Amino acid sequence: MDYEYTLPKLDYLSILDFIPGAMENWGTFLFDSQYMLYKNDSTTERQKMTMARIMTHELVHNYFGSLVGVKWWSDMWMMEAFANFGEFYFTDVFLPGYHFKEVYVTEVMHRSLIDHGFIGTRPIASYIEEPREVRRILEGYLSKAALTMRMLFYAFGEDVFQKCVRHIVHSMALSTITPEEMYEIFERVIEENEEIPDDVKVSEILRTWFEQPGYPLLNIRRDYEANTVVVTQQRFLSARNESVTTNSSWFIPLSLSTSREPNMEDTTPYAWMKPGVGELTLKPNLVVSWGEDDWVLFNIQQTGYFRINYDTQNWILLAKELHQGYPFRIPPLNRAQLIDDSFNLAYSDVIDFTVALDIIKYVIKEDQYTVWTAANRHLLSLNRRLDGPSYEKYFGRFLQHITEEHLDKLDVFENINPNETISATFLRPIVVDLACRAGSGKCLTATRVLVMAESMTGHRLVPREVSSAYYCHGLKNANLETFKYFWNKLHNLTHEQERSHFSNSLTCYHDEEVVMEILLTTSSPLSNYTYSNKERLDLFATAFRNGHIRSAINFFQEHHEDIAVAYGFSMSLDGLLREMTSYLHLADDIKAFLAMLDTLIMHNYISDEQKSRIIDEMEHNFEWVEENKAEIESWIQNYFEPGSVNAADNEELINTNQQEGDKKQRYQADC
């Protein structure tokens, strides 16, 4: 920043159960203890990453937030945009082996793209009048603002972006800045460095991203005979049956590479897609060229905040490239992007689901945990949706197949190599969790034996980095004595990071009554047990994510008043309830869930509008299963036995799943 810190000292304060997590102040930073107190023998590498990110975030606020401020809450997105982007950018510099820049995409951008894929979202730059709106902006919009800054960083180049940032700090120090002033600074600096076409205004670029809701979907259609690429844009919408009445469009930096001359490091825009332009036709040149048999890949390193849809042939070419395996010519971030885009496009009925499956099946050859983070999100989603009588024969079998080799390669159950890469360390719990959920006998036996042995010997046997996955699946089949050992261990520990290994796993235990008793200890005013807010939420969410959806519903229904006091409903209740809908399969559970929603409305915990959205989500899940399950199971059967599914077989699959769909429709009618 080239601007010295002006105060004589900077204090860091640790606060137990600090609800905001962390807070910057001029001269003093406040942190929840879990984000500040490092313990060498219990803090995991993942927790270390989180601590580094959050501390860096607050340090950036020394400049954006303290040194340079804003006049009103409506503009706070600017301060948080720089801090959110900086927490990954700067941390990657001093902890390079942790892949922070890639994590930023797969764990932040991919979730943000989901959040902003709905018609009801608002622009980043929205006027705020009420205090409750501040929290809404904090929860859902700041990541989009930061990711837009990241896009500008790569579109204009690191040197130019840094000049813009320095100019803001030096010219606005000890003062406030407005969005218009920020636009003006970016425009002046970038134009001085000639980093943009003459007919494109930087301020107009920024307005299209900050002052209108949503984000674009780029449609890439190739003319294989003319050897051209035609690009169009439209607003992407995740939900079915939603349409946009406004002609939203953006200035979009288009970076691309091809299989003929793959250059995956240059994120400089090949061209700019302008708002209001119906289509843009691209032709090969001396810099980038392609032929009929070459794949074309847009949005290099997924620097742009948008989704990409290709014509069917180009999807096929990209899938074939992925299945070549190592050495991959497509980098990790773009491999993750292809998985995430294809699945979200399939969920939105833009492409057939078989396209997404043809992409993701290559992960049997993938060893980068950042890519698996993207794959894991969609595999878990399918795992929930495809649960039922045919699960073991189809999706469970497929999931076991793509994880089995990784179980062996990572030495998951025999030996943890202390010199292994961070990628292998973080990949291990993903593989263990997926394999155990798929019903892998090797996985379930190993986790149960290790967990029982640890309880009998009193010695730590479960590797620290995979502890939650091990404890969760091990406890699903453990005896009561084993459970009691870990229950007592949780409450004998005081260090929050150590406790998290158990708060994320104890409610996986198979006994419904025991799970309900645990949940009651998190809310009862008479409870002798002490929890942080995060631990309460972890215990509750772990329960419904691991076979105890009915216990979770009954807990909310019967004890909502105590829960409101103990939890403070500080969690995003709307998001939590929407997630619960994906675990509803039985008629009685659905009825109980709807009754619970009515209770929450009656006590003003949620609104009628929220209930409507939640029910829409539930109905969409049922519709999706009815429409896609047969196709997916047919694809899986052909995956294992190519050519085995003929028309008669496929019709039988469709009829079977139609019957399941009819049952669910009757459930909805009953409700």
Side-chain angles (χ1 to χ4, degrees):
M1 301 292 184
D2 293 333
Y3 198 102
E4 291 187 5
Y5 181 62
T6 56
L7 298 181
K9 66 185 180 73
L10 176 61
D11 292 326
Y12 284 65
L13 299 182
S14 172
I15 302 174
L16 184 64
D17 204 16
F18 185 48
I19 292 178
M23 182 66 68
E24 75 281 359
N25 297 276
W26 193 229
T28 303
F29 291 161
L30 309 178
F31 295 94
D32 187 289
S33 58
Q34 66 174 313
Y35 301 134
M36 185 173 169
L37 303 181
Y38 181 88
K39 191 173 182 181
N40 193 50
D41 61 348
S42 60
T43 301
T44 67
E45 294 297 322
R46 173 65 73 174
Q47 290 167 336
K48 178 180 176 181
M49 283 183 69
T50 302
M51 295 171 73
R53 279 199 306 104
I54 291 175
M55 288 187 176
T56 304
H57 179 104
E58 304 309 328
L59 281 169
V60 176
H61 272 312
N62 260 336
Y63 298 93
F64 295 97
S66 295
L67 185 64
V68 179
V70 294
K71 293 180 179 179
W72 185 241
W73 294 99
S74 303
D75 299 336
M76 67 184 294
W77 60 267
M78 291 187 291
M79 304 297 99
E80 293 296 339
F82 287 111
N84 282 20
F85 176 46
E87 75 179 75
F88 287 90
Y89 173 77
F90 292 117
T91 311
D92 189 73
V93 173
F94 61 80
L95 288 175
Y98 288 78
H99 309 286
F100 279 94
K101 290 181 181 178
E102 294 178 7
V103 170
Y104 193 32
V105 173
T106 58
E107 295 189 8
V108 180
M109 177 185 276
H110 288 180
R111 288 176 180 168
S112 180
L113 288 170
I114 292 173
D115 292 340
H116 290 272
F118 297 94
I119 194 68
T121 58
R122 293 171 59 178
I124 295 171
S126 299
Y127 187 71
I128 294 176
E129 294 183 301
E130 300 180 21
R132 61 184 176 85
E133 292 184 300
V134 175
R135 181 167 183 173
R136 176 187 58 79
I137 291 293
L138 280 170
E139 288 181 346
Y141 289 80
L142 298 184
S143 60
K144 181 186 176 185
L147 289 160
T148 303
M149 287 293 182
R150 174 181 177 270
M151 179 171 62
L152 301 176
F153 174 93
Y154 285 104
F156 300 136
E158 182 173 2
D159 291 342
V160 173
F161 187 86
Q162 287 182 355
K163 288 179 182 178
C164 294
V165 171
R166 290 194 189 100
H167 198 294
I168 291 173
V169 170
H170 285 267
S171 63
M172 309 303 292
L174 302 177
S175 183
T176 58
I177 187 171
T178 65
E180 288 296 328
E181 289 169 329
M182 185 186 76
Y183 299 164
E184 182 182 340
I185 290 172
F186 266 85
E187 185 164 89
R188 184 165 63 251
V189 173
I190 290 169
E191 289 181 353
E192 286 174 357
N193 287 269
E194 300 180 352
E195 295 294 335
I196 198 164
D198 293 336
D199 59 342
V200 176
K201 299 289 288 183
V202 175
S203 57
E204 294 176 3
I205 293 174
L206 299 180
R207 285 192 179 90
T208 65
W209 288 97
F210 292 127
E211 297 181 6
Q212 63 179 343
Y215 59 87
L217 166 66
L218 289 186
N219 294 297
I220 309 299
R221 294 292 177 266
R222 296 177 59 183
D223 185 329
Y224 291 88
E225 292 185 3
N227 204 30
T228 58
V229 174
V230 177
V231 184
T232 61
Q233 65 163 298
Q234 66 188 77
R235 182 175 173 183
F236 176 78
L237 291 174
S238 299
R240 297 174 170 186
N241 305 320
E242 284 191 346
S243 60
V244 181
T245 56
T246 58
N247 296 319
S248 303
S249 58
W250 293 259
F251 276 100
I252 305 172
L254 303 178
S255 59
L256 75 149
S257 187
T258 73
S259 55
R260 178 166 294 187
E261 298 174 0
N263 181 355
M264 298 299 176
E265 299 301 323
D266 186 5
T267 60
T268 304
Y270 179 83
W272 283 84
M273 183 81 182
K274 300 174 185 177
V277 174
E279 62 181 39
L280 176 66
T281 301
L282 304 178
K283 299 179 180 179
N285 59 24
L286 295 176
V287 178
V288 181
S289 63
W290 60 85
E292 180 181 357
D293 297 326
D294 297 315
W295 49 258
V296 174
L297 179 73
F298 278 75
N299 202 8
I300 303 306
Q301 301 293 346
Q302 200 170 5
T303 57
Y305 190 81
F306 46 84
R307 296 198 187 280
I308 306 285
N309 181 30
Y310 300 97
D311 60 79
T312 302
Q313 179 59 22
N314 201 72
W315 275 118
I316 292 172
L317 292 171
L318 288 167
K320 287 182 178 179
E321 176 66 32
L322 292 175
H323 298 316
Q324 296 297 319
Y326 281 94
F328 287 111
R329 294 196 294 173
I330 297 176
L333 282 182
N334 284 113
R335 301 201 295 271
Q337 174 197 16
L338 289 171
I339 292 171
D340 192 61
D341 278 354
S342 64
F343 269 83
N344 280 286
L345 291 169
Y347 283 129
S348 303
D349 289 338
V350 177
I351 62 175
D352 290 338
F353 221 93
T354 53
V355 175
L357 293 169
D358 283 334
I359 291 289
I360 203 171
K361 68 182 182 182
Y362 97 92
V363 295
I364 196 171
K365 303 175 182 179
E366 181 62 71
D367 67 356
Q368 295 299 304
Y369 88 93
T370 48
V371 183
W372 268 96
T373 299
N376 184 49
R377 187 175 298 116
H378 296 295
L379 290 171
L380 285 176
S381 177
L382 286 178
N383 198 60
R384 294 193 299 270
R385 293 167 185 254
L386 299 175
D387 191 20
S390 59
Y391 172 83
E392 185 176 342
K393 181 179 179 181
Y394 293 106
F395 192 72
R397 180 187 179 192
F398 174 70
L399 202 52
Q400 286 189 48
H401 174 71
I402 63 174
T403 55
E404 185 175 14
E405 185 175 331
H406 292 287
L407 289 177
D408 296 331
K409 188 184 299 183
L410 290 168
D411 289 332
V412 171
F413 306 113
E414 297 175 4
N415 178 43
I416 304 300
N417 181 358
N419 298 316
E420 71 182 3
T421 64
I422 288 294
S423 187
T425 299
F426 290 164
L427 175 57
R428 185 174 287 107
I430 293 175
V431 170
V432 170
D433 185 56
L434 284 174
C436 282
R437 289 185 186 279
S440 165
K442 178 180 181 180
C443 184
L444 292 171
T445 299
T447 53
R448 179 173 58 84
V449 169
L450 266 179
V451 166
M452 290 182 66
E454 183 169 317
S455 70
M456 294 171 66
T457 63
H459 298 297
R460 180 66 178 265
L461 299 177
V462 171
R464 188 172 62 193
E465 289 298 331
V466 292
S467 57
S468 293
Y470 268 98
Y471 290 135
C472 176
H473 294 292
L475 285 169
K476 285 181 178 179
N477 296 293
N479 57 35
L480 185 59
E481 290 302 313
T482 300
F483 167 80
K484 287 181 178 179
Y485 171 82
F486 292 107
W487 171 253
N488 292 329
K489 189 168 185 177
L490 166 66
H491 294 290
N492 287 329
L493 293 170
T494 56
H495 192 261
E496 193 165 353
Q497 291 174 344
E498 286 183 286
R499 289 169 59 92
S500 69
H501 303 312
F502 306 105
S503 62
N504 281 298
S505 57
L506 280 169
T507 46
C508 294
Y509 187 57
H510 59 83
D511 191 306
E512 291 278 354
E513 292 184 4
V514 172
V515 169
M516 179 59 85
E517 289 175 6
I518 296 172
L519 294 178
L520 288 174
T521 67
T522 68
S523 65
S524 173
L526 302 178
S527 175
N528 295 321
Y529 300 102
T530 302
Y531 302 97
S532 69
N533 280 335
K534 182 179 182 302
E535 288 171 346
R536 290 188 179 92
L537 181 57
D538 287 342
L539 287 164
F540 176 76
T542 298
F544 75 72
R545 290 169 182 162
N546 290 277
H548 300 300
I549 183 67
R550 189 57 179 275
S551 294
I553 293 170
N554 291 343
F555 175 59
F556 253 93
Q557 175 74 297
E558 298 167 11
H559 305 281
H560 56 86
E561 292 180 351
D562 289 341
I563 295 170
V565 174
Y567 286 59
F569 283 136
S570 59
M571 79 287 272
S572 176
L573 190 57
D574 183 75
L576 196 71
L577 294 172
R578 285 167 58 186
E579 183 185 353
M580 289 174 70
T581 65
S582 64
Y583 293 89
L584 296 171
H585 300 290
L586 302 177
D588 289 344
D589 291 345
I590 296 168
K591 290 180 180 179
F593 183 78
L594 292 172
M596 180 196 72
L597 292 182
D598 289 336
T599 299
L600 295 177
I601 287 177
M602 187 185 307
H603 291 83
N604 297 316
Y605 299 134
I606 62 172
S607 65
D608 288 319
E609 181 183 356
Q610 286 176 303
K611 177 187 175 182
S612 178
R613 286 202 304 266
I614 293 165
I615 291 177
D616 285 345
E617 184 95 4
M618 180 175 66
E619 291 176 347
H620 169 68
N621 289 336
F622 292 150
E623 290 171 2
W624 184 91
V625 171
E626 181 181 343
E627 295 172 9
N628 293 280
K629 188 173 184 180
E631 180 184 29
I632 292 172
E633 292 183 346
S634 175
W635 181 92
I636 292 172
Q637 187 166 339
N638 270 309
Y639 174 82
F640 287 108
E641 304 166 25
S644 63
V645 177
N646 56 35
D649 294 330
N650 200 45
E651 184 177 353
E652 182 180 349
L653 277 170
I654 292 172
N655 289 337
T656 300
N657 287 287
Q658 181 66 50
Q659 291 171 6
E660 293 182 12
D662 291 342
K663 290 180 183 178
K664 287 175 179 174
Q665 285 185 334
R666 289 197 295 273
Y667 295 163
Q668 294 175 60
D670 291 341
C671 296

